Amino acid sequence: MHLLLVLILTMFNRKKTTFLVVFIAVIIGLVLAWFFIKPKQNTSSIDWTNPDSIFALDIPDDFNEDKIERLQSKIDNARQLLEEKPEDNWTFATIGNMYEFVRDYDRALLAYQKSLTIQPNDITSMLSIATIYTNYQPNFKEAEKYYSRAIGIFPQLPDLYNRLARLYWLKMDRLEDAEIIFLQGVENSQEHSDALVNLIGFYERTDQINKQKTHVTRLLELYPDEELYQQEWGHLIE
């Protein structure tokens, strides 16, 4: 009798153990299935009439408390703009910045492009698109297109020439084109100090010392009261 009772309990424990193993396996299977088949954010288009979709964000794992607070501020700002100014290009530039902050570059590009459809001269969105194509989703031809577009609209801004020239120089190994753009920046900005400094830095880093000296001389002629320029390059023309 005692032996029979032991056998029954043993069988019961085995069934209980088997049940637990099966139950755990089912739970693991469901979790894995959810992970692999859960809906992904549509990165080919955005439903701009659906705020829940717009603001569904995947927060990067390396975000600390400070970055999460900054992200929340961007979300709040973008939500307010979408509610109050749904037809304003700045609304979509702001949403694009929010996406870019969480490294959702596909949707950032869509948002910036939406801004440009509303306001084709939105330099913020142009430069943001170019930056993404330069640094995060390399497509240098597209980056070149947007930098060139910005220069065509705002030819007096030296920073635009610097961005395009550095793309040619550092990303595309087109030093001659880079030099041309740096020189255009100096000319079209009416020898703005930033444009001259950018050009001088290019000549310095590419070991074109004679050209560097020529433009250092011009810089110091135009800006004789800038002590920093004298300290940095004055020795070249002494």
Side-chain angles (χ1 to χ4, degrees):
M1 183 69 180
H2 177 72
L3 179 59
L4 180 61
L5 182 60
V6 169
L7 288 173
I8 292 173
L9 288 174
T10 301
M11 291 176 64
F12 176 77
N13 286 334
R14 286 178 178 174
K15 289 182 178 180
K16 185 176 180 181
T17 301
T18 301
F19 173 78
L20 287 174
V21 170
V22 171
F23 178 77
I24 292 171
V26 169
I27 294 298
I28 293 174
L30 289 173
V31 170
L32 290 174
W34 175 85
F35 178 80
F36 285 109
I37 68 174
K38 67 177 180 177
K40 303 293 184 181
Q41 295 297 336
N42 186 352
T43 59
S44 62
S45 64
I46 297 174
D47 181 1
W48 296 115
T49 66
N50 185 351
D52 289 338
S53 175
I54 293 171
F55 295 102
L57 304 175
D58 292 326
I59 301 176
D61 293 336
D62 61 350
F63 268 32
N64 56 24
E65 184 176 342
D66 177 64
K67 283 192 173 182
I68 291 174
E69 288 180 1
R70 289 169 60 194
L71 173 60
Q72 188 59 55
S73 176
K74 290 177 182 291
I75 293 172
D76 293 342
N77 188 27
R79 278 188 182 277
Q80 183 178 354
L81 285 172
L82 188 62
E83 291 174 2
E84 297 177 357
K85 300 178 180 180
E87 304 300 326
D88 193 307
N89 76 288
W90 187 246
T91 295
F92 299 99
T94 302
I95 292 172
N97 178 261
M98 175 188 72
Y99 288 143
E100 190 175 352
F101 188 70
V102 295
R103 304 175 200 141
D104 187 346
Y105 299 116
D106 290 328
R107 289 204 293 172
L109 289 170
L110 291 174
Y112 290 135
Q113 288 161 354
K114 173 73 171 176
S115 175
L116 287 172
T117 62
I118 299 171
Q119 173 48 267
N121 291 350
D122 176 13
I123 190 172
T124 298
S125 292
M126 272 183 248
L127 295 183
S128 295
I129 291 172
T131 299
I132 289 173
Y133 282 135
T134 298
N135 298 320
Y136 306 115
Q137 291 191 350
N139 186 332
F140 300 145
K141 284 293 183 182
E142 284 296 300
E144 177 185 16
K145 181 177 77 175
Y146 281 97
Y147 285 137
S148 298
R149 178 175 170 180
I151 288 172
I153 298 171
F154 303 97
Q156 74 282 7
L157 299 181
D159 179 59
L160 303 182
Y161 298 92
N162 185 48
R163 290 171 183 251
L164 178 56
R166 290 176 66 85
L167 174 70
Y168 287 150
W169 169 23
L170 300 175
K171 300 291 187 178
M172 303 176 76
D173 196 26
R174 291 166 52 181
L175 266 64
E176 290 184 4
D177 290 329
E179 181 179 12
I180 290 170
I181 296 300
F182 278 126
L183 288 168
Q184 287 179 358
V186 171
E187 180 181 356
N188 293 338
S189 68
Q190 299 182 339
E191 298 184 301
H192 191 285
S193 60
D194 289 348
L196 281 165
V197 167
N198 292 333
L199 178 60
I200 290 167
F202 168 73
Y203 286 140
E204 181 174 357
R205 290 182 61 184
T206 54
D207 296 322
Q208 301 184 65
I209 304 303
N210 290 332
K211 290 181 179 180
Q212 182 190 12
K213 288 180 179 180
T214 298
H215 289 88
V216 165
T217 300
R218 184 59 177 159
L219 178 70
L220 297 180
E221 287 175 354
L222 291 172
Y223 304 96
D225 297 329
E226 290 290 342
E227 294 183 5
L228 181 61
Y229 299 155
Q230 185 66 46
Q231 294 172 5
E232 187 72 20
W233 297 296
H235 66 281
L236 292 175
I237 59 173
E238 290 177 352

